[in-house]
Amino acid sequence: MGGGLLYALGGFSLSALNLYVYTQALAWVPLLILGILEAGTRRGVAIAAIGAFASISTGGVEIVIQA
């Protein structure tokens, strides 16, 4: 049931599966969002920087901007 729910709600992720650049960038987005949520600390800023750099390095700049 949980897998079906995630499958149903992941429309953008599913539509980007044939575009490997976006799929690679999407894999780093949770780390980027975690860092942004904890941006008040040095650890949070470091996590956000690592997530942003890793996402940008895949070439999926649009995904980073959306995140």
Side-chain angles (χ1 to χ4, degrees), residues 26-53:
L26 279 170
W28 289 101
V29 168
L31 186 67
L32 174 62
I33 292 173
L34 175 68
I36 290 172
L37 290 176
E38 296 182 6
T41 64
R42 289 184 186 202
R43 178 178 179 263
V45 171
I47 290 172
I50 291 169
F53 176 74

Side-chain angles (χ1 to χ4, degrees), residues 3-36:
L5 181 65
L6 290 174
Y7 183 81
L9 294 176
F12 178 74
S13 299
L14 288 174
S15 67
L17 284 178
N18 63 337
L19 306 169
Y20 66 93
V21 174
Y22 293 146
T23 306
Q24 293 171 354
L26 279 170
W28 289 101
V29 168
L31 186 67
L32 174 62
I33 292 173
L34 175 68
I36 290 172

